[in-house]
Amino acid sequence: MTIHAFKDANDGYYQVDVPDGEDMPEWTEGLTPCAVQPATSNTAQQLASLQQGVQHWLDTTAQANGYDGIASCCSYYNSSVAQYAADAKAATLWRDAVWQACYAQSAALSSQPNPVIPTLATLLLSLPQPATYGWTAHAPGA
């Protein structure tokens, strides 16, 4: 297992554990590698960092289909273009499920005296996946 650290344009910090022999996850594209930050005992700070990583995952998934981000995609909910409307409906359902699950996990961890905070990669695997909600990658605008 190798630990990689990244920052985004807003100085959001992401730590990714990559099993030996596996490729870096796609959602890390566009992030700037940086030094691994030392562990902190501040649960709220760790959870906030994970939430930034979740938002980045949502946005990069939408960007794969040609949208600026998840909010941009969801704004097409009532579009007269069938593909845009379908993308928006799937993305909205997925985004809502992701944040409901994320906030539930965050609340559960916050209520524990010494919680074991998951890595971002582990958290993302535990959250609802886009395909479950009909969100599929396709050529932008197709």
Side-chain angles (χ1 to χ4, degrees):
M1 182 82 60
T2 304
I3 299 174
H4 300 271
F6 300 93
K7 285 196 177 211
D8 63 18
N10 299 317
D11 284 332
Y13 177 80
Y14 310 99
Q15 186 168 307
V16 183
D17 297 336
V18 179
D20 294 332
E22 289 191 19
D23 292 332
M24 190 67 61
E26 281 184 28
W27 63 264
T28 60
E29 291 178 21
L31 297 177
T32 305
C34 66
V36 174
Q37 293 181 348
T40 175
S41 61
N42 184 335
T43 300
Q45 184 180 25
Q46 289 175 309
L47 294 175
S49 179
L50 286 173
Q51 288 179 1
Q52 286 180 331
V54 169
Q55 184 63 51
H56 183 76
W57 179 51
L58 291 166
D59 286 334
T60 56
T61 301
Q63 289 165 358
N65 282 355
Y67 298 96
D68 292 334
I70 195 76
S72 171
C73 179
C74 293
S75 75
Y76 285 89
Y77 200 87
N78 291 316
S79 176
S80 61
V81 177
Q83 183 63 61
Y84 300 161
D87 284 351
K89 288 175 175 86
T92 299
L93 289 170
W94 174 54
R95 178 199 59 190
D96 292 353
V98 164
W99 283 119
Q100 285 180 325
C102 190
Y103 291 143
Q105 287 188 42
S106 184
L109 290 168
S110 295
S111 69
Q112 297 174 16
N114 292 308
V116 176
I117 307 295
T119 65
L120 180 58
T122 300
L123 175 63
L124 295 182
L125 288 173
S126 74
L127 295 174
Q129 298 300 303
T132 305
Y133 293 86
W135 180 259
T136 58
H138 56 75

